[in-house]
Amino acid sequence: MYCRQPLRTIETIDDLHYNLQLAVELEFSTLPTYLQALYSIKEGSNTIAYSVIRSVIMEEMFHLTNAANVLIATGGSPALNSPEFIPIYPTFLPDNEKWFEARLLKLSPQALMLFLAIEMPGDLVPISMITIGKFYENIEKGLKYLDEKMGADLFPCGTLDKQIEHKYYYGGGGIINKVTNLDSALFALNAIIAQGEGAPNKHWDPDKSFPLEDTTGIESGDHQLFMQPRELSHFYRFNELKKGRRYVLGDSHNSGPTGPEININYDDVYNLKPDPQSGDYIHYPELEEMNFNVNVIFSRLLDQLHLAFNGQPKTLETAVCTMFSLKEVIQILMRNPIPDNELGEYAAPTWEYLSPEERTLSSIR
Amino acid sequence: MTKCEQFDVVIIGAGISGAIMAQQLGAQQKKVLILEAGTGTDGRFFNNNDKKGYESYMDTFFTAMAKIPNAPFPNNPNAPQPLVTDTRNMSDGKPITNNGYFVQMGPNPFASTYTRSEGGTTLHWLGTCLRMLPEDFKLKTHFGHGLDWPISYDELQPWYEVAETMIGVSANARDQNYQQIDNPAVHIPFREGYDYPMEKIPQSFLDNYMNQGLQGMSVTIDYHHYPIKVVSTPQGRNGMPRGDYRPVGAVGNQNLGQRCAGNSNCVPICPIQAKYNALKTLAQAKTTGFVEVRNQCVVSDMALDEYTHEVKTVIYKQYTDTQTTDYEVKTVSGRIVVLAAHAVENAKILLAAGIANSSDQVGRNLMDHPTMLTWGLMPTDIGAFRGPGSTSGIPSLRGGEFRRKQAAFRIEIGNWGWSWPAGAPISTVPDLIDNKNLYGAELKRAISSVYPRMFRLGFLVEQLPDPNNRVTIDERYKDQLGNYRPVIHYQVTDYTRAGMAQAKQVSDELFAYLGVEAYTQYKQSDPGYVTYQGEGYSYNGAGHLVGTHIMGFNAQTSVVDKHQRSWDHPNLYLVGCGNMPTISTSNPTLTMAALTYWAADNVLKALEQT
Amino acid sequence: MYRLDDFYDLSATLTDYPVTRLIGTGVGNEYNQTLSQWVRQDVLDELYHCFSQLERNNDGQVCPQALRHQLLSNEKYGPIARNIIKMWYLSIWYKMTDNWSMTYGIPAYSSPVIGVESPTPEDYIISNNAYIQGLVWPLMGSHPMGAKQPGYGTWSDAPLNSIASIHLQ
């Protein structure tokens, strides 16, 4: 399905739109992976892991919004409601990072390894390998190039009302600013890089201590990029879970986290079937129907997000609520063991976009 | 009592008024100590091994059978707190001495409670942030009874704005000035161009249903017509920010609670802290670096300087845990002392210390909003049990000429069906199974066809200041640390009862207008059962404890002056709802917060003068 | 876990929810365990036997009349059946009458009960999570108060159109 070329220099507005659409797909494609692990956590257990993964997910939505705003501001239209928008897992990420596959896994050490790969800072991988950060830097380069070439035409008038404004976003770090020129576009993209992989990698020093307050280990001082208490980048937040310890003041990349322990109990997690496919439930009509219901709501969510980024920003509020009901139906599914499964695995959602015609139950019967 | 620590300001109580005071003073680099009687969470959201965080309150809440306002907060015999389940009907004339924290002398039971924990009662408040009407500040002048305030609406107005911004109130000024209501008595002037920091919280489906259904309705009192208008309620609850305003999330978990998510649990506890609580202001106070909060320190006494009459030292008992009575007596001193322990506790501390009472008004004029409920079934599904506890009200009868004879009231539209009047669904569903003999599909149908139609109104009726409604102390009644338990004398007088009767009349008309199937029932066994002109009504507590150390125009008739300073002791300030000479019809917290910002400003000036 | 499948089967008939929906609450085990804590095993065996007879006599479909006659009106089984329904809806174990407990229950039960600090014969909420999973909330078109937040502004939606209500079947 996805067959993308390695990072190519962006020379035309079409190249730019293509890459920004890819960015939107990229940000979204991590969500099923993170949400599968998040919802596999049994109610009331692993509260810190839950809150960390949730905080990353909220910021992925922030990134998606930033990328979409830049796309809208440069005259493009994000497309979110099509089967192609959602990959079939396991999958390479849309930015063509070929060195790992995104999967649908319960919360486990293996899942955390995957999360770390997704958020891996560019400085930690060989120069030839693509990371999300490098992908965005390539877009920034293209933006600068086109800005010089096209001047004011790069940011046509009349896009402001279509962009998402800050009041719709909450629950994570970052301020959404509308994009009107090169500076605001770069600001939006820089926020994505900094939150995901950590600070832009110009002067990266693995022994430099993180800007953390000494007690909390997770919140840190003000950072001008976000104008909010800054958190560790996603990579290091996941590393805290992987290592089972908080980073505290004085810790650096090389030191690893040395703070208080984080208790993670991998037994308080539903033993989900990895990378489930809808075919897995063909002999279990009740599970099939529940997974179908999940996909219906998931598809509705994508439709709402699509509308939100295509002229009806207020629909974003509704989409957040749809997200909550999605959680509910997913958790009901996940608590059901798959009958006759020798590994004692539980059912899990397949995250598929259904066209409106496919959303009647008869379509699976 | 070896050494006595010195602070610029010692504040007693870590609730909203103490937190505001500390934050304002800390921000000006004044060294502040807060002494809190209850336990606390020290800014933690999550539990950290044996140290409890905010989430521990949720655990307690989930498994509490009676989900009363204080259900989530630990029962702490070293700083006991009243519970709504402690009261009973007092028509037998016997005092309640051994059931709960309060000693109730009657003749009516006092039904309101408060929370003795770090963060105070804002941990379980609903978040309603109404301003008072201009006429509420001058009841005596306008209506010949009650008291006038030494401060006017116009003087307090800028402090309302400060309080609304700091609490984070969601509302639209164009709704809240009540200009749309054809009753000039309730109009509230707002500053031109002012608006709240966040947009109004969406009104519930029920609110909108009622707004449409009540179009054209009015009621008549003494030949005056009053229109019935549904108006959105201003709420200390995070919504959609205006401009550059940034909502404040949960303490210790900032990403949580930046917007209300509809947990429908504001009272007793918002799980995500989208609703304002004083822990937020305390956290801001602590980040100034000049404020220390000391939990588990119950103030028991204060000592005066013989010559200056200033409060020289504050004496408190610091206990190690809630399960034992081990404590140490300590003293601290501040250039200024601020009593912010809550209306009842402030009075208790002053009475125990025997100070600030040359007027003999300490403890007197205790008021609440006796809250009468009416309930029924709407003719159609109105989506009960969803959203914040109340998102709209009917303020039309908050003011008017009728206040010469009977109490004004505000009507609150409840979003949670019969949860208050009947404990639905938890207390009512067993009846369907045990007595109505329903199971399976029939039971499902019974629940899904009735519960979403459940509807209730609350009538918050004003009380006048009455010196006989009072908090006192008595050697015979002490808690296990040897501190006094409040002894309460309380009566709901005919002025208020007439208001309740009027409220019931309005409710009947409103139910008829909307076609509501009424289920309201006032039983003689209800704790708050009272009669007026032969009819029975029941009141509940609103949790609005007001007026135990009122401000006034002179030292003979009031406890504090306009600046919130004790008439008797130049370095003693009192804050909290106790300062309010009348309660009128607004939930008092916003007005109290505004007064506290004003008081903090006065304390700062006083500190700079000395 | 004592006769969990039988417990789900009986529960599905008593509540009219499919077994997958009941399993989907994630707290069926806790309810079943609670039942075993308060009801003697031989009494449970008889109850399940009685229920399976009702199923067998009518091709797997339990006749409502027979259920009332044989089970709900029975002085031994009726209180158990009603308590099972109440657990699913309200997540509460209601104390059986002393008389019933003496005859069919486990009155001497003394080890700690889940969710409460000391063993108590009074009504109690089975656990934090059980409270959240009570079936009464979605059935009312709502969500457990204090959990499963439906999202900002959902309370303005018409009850039937609410996206919060899509999973209420």
Side-chain angles (χ1 to χ4, degrees), chain C residues 8-150:
Chain C
Y8 275 122
D9 265 356
L10 174 60
S11 294
T13 297
L14 290 173
T15 63
D16 191 42
Y17 283 96
V19 170
T20 44
R21 178 67 184 89
L22 297 177
I23 293 177
T25 62
V27 287
N29 287 1
E30 286 182 49
Y31 294 161
N32 190 39
Q33 205 176 336
T34 302
L35 198 61
S36 300
Q37 278 170 0
W38 298 108
V39 184
R40 280 204 332 253
Q41 196 160 309
D42 58 307
V43 175
L44 285 176
D45 287 338
E46 288 173 45
L47 168 72
Y48 293 136
H49 179 75
C50 169
F51 180 67
S52 68
Q53 291 296 356
L54 293 179
E55 279 183 315
R56 197 163 310 148
N57 295 347
N58 203 26
D59 293 337
Q61 289 294 312
V62 178
C63 161
Q65 204 80 13
L67 189 83
R68 286 195 181 280
H69 292 177
Q70 305 294 319
L71 218 144
L72 291 170
S73 62
N74 181 289
E75 57 98 29
K76 188 192 318 185
Y77 308 138
I80 309 177
R82 283 185 282 277
N83 258 19
I84 290 174
I85 301 175
K86 283 183 266 182
M87 279 199 287
W88 285 111
Y89 275 109
L90 306 170
S91 330
I92 294 173
W93 177 261
Y94 288 89
K95 181 194 174 191
M96 295 291 203
T97 61
D98 288 345
N99 225 343
W100 191 97
S101 288
M102 297 283 270
T103 325
Y104 309 114
I106 307 178
Y109 184 78
S110 61
S111 69
V113 172
I114 305 165
V116 289
E117 280 171 349
S118 58
T120 162
E122 298 303 323
D123 310 341
Y124 65 94
I125 291 178
I126 288 162
S127 70
N128 287 359
N129 190 24
Y131 166 81
I132 294 167
Q133 306 301 341
L135 291 174
V136 71
W137 307 105
L139 185 60
M140 297 194 307
S142 180
H143 62 97
M145 298 179 97
K148 296 192 183 180
Q149 50 189 25

Side-chain angles (χ1 to χ4, degrees), chain A residues 284-344:
Chain A
Y284 313 107
E286 280 142 341
L287 296 182
E288 188 180 37
E289 186 179 329
M290 289 166 107
N291 182 51
F292 170 80
N293 283 334
V294 170
N295 285 333
V296 168
I297 296 170
F298 179 54
S299 307
R300 200 178 300 163
L301 172 68
L302 288 175
D303 289 347
Q304 289 164 352
L305 287 173
H306 183 80
L307 283 179
F309 292 114
N310 283 275
Q312 299 179 35
K314 207 171 149 46
T315 320
L316 200 60
E317 261 182 83
T318 320
V320 173
C321 302
T322 307
M323 192 85 184
F324 289 129
S325 21
L326 185 64
K327 172 186 174 182
E328 174 68 1
V329 285
I330 286 177
Q331 287 189 322
I332 291 174
L333 174 65
M334 283 180 171
R335 292 178 190 127
N336 271 275
I338 300 173
D340 317 317
N341 180 300
E342 287 173 5
L343 300 170

Side-chain angles (χ1 to χ4, degrees), chain A residues 178-192:
Chain A
K178 288 194 176 180
V179 174
T180 52
N181 54 26
L182 182 66
D183 282 350
S184 47
L186 293 178
F187 184 88
L189 298 182
N190 274 334
I192 302 178

Side-chain angles (χ1 to χ4, degrees), chain B residues 469-485:
Chain B
N469 283 352
R470 64 187 296 204
V471 177
T472 58
I473 52 173
D474 184 325
E475 279 298 326
R476 288 174 295 171
Y477 304 116
K478 290 187 171 177
D479 66 23
Q480 68 174 27
L481 283 197
N483 295 312
Y484 288 102
R485 288 166 55 199

Side-chain angles (χ1 to χ4, degrees), chain B residues 85-196:
Chain B
T85 42
D86 295 340
T87 58
R88 60 163 169 79
N89 189 285
M90 296 184 76
S91 55
D92 59 4
K94 289 186 190 140
I96 304 172
T97 55
N98 286 321
N99 196 19
Y101 177 48
F102 285 163
V103 176
Q104 301 239 26
M105 305 306 288
N108 299 124
F110 187 78
S112 274
T113 66
Y114 49 95
T115 306
R116 292 182 81 190
S117 285
E118 184 192 22
T121 311
T122 54
L123 293 172
H124 81 215
W125 75 319
L126 179 57
T128 303
C129 281
L130 296 157
R131 294 188 184 189
M132 287 172 59
L133 310 177
E135 74 172 30
D136 292 338
F137 293 81
K138 291 190 159 46
L139 283 193
K140 182 84 180 167
T141 303
H142 285 305
F143 306 110
H145 46 216
L147 294 167
D148 287 354
W149 291 40
I151 190 169
S152 69
Y153 173 83
D154 288 340
E155 285 172 280
L156 199 56
Q157 206 269 125
W159 299 105
Y160 269 133
E161 293 185 7
V162 173
E164 284 158 354
T165 306
M166 300 299 273
I167 288 174
V169 180
S170 296
N172 298 343
R174 68 167 182 277
D175 302 332
Q176 302 309 325
N177 60 23
Y178 295 164
Q179 300 296 319
Q180 71 276 37
I181 302 172
D182 185 17
N183 173 12
V186 301
H187 292 181
I188 301 178
F190 275 60
R191 180 169 58 81
E192 185 76 25
Y194 171 78
D195 216 330
Y196 291 85

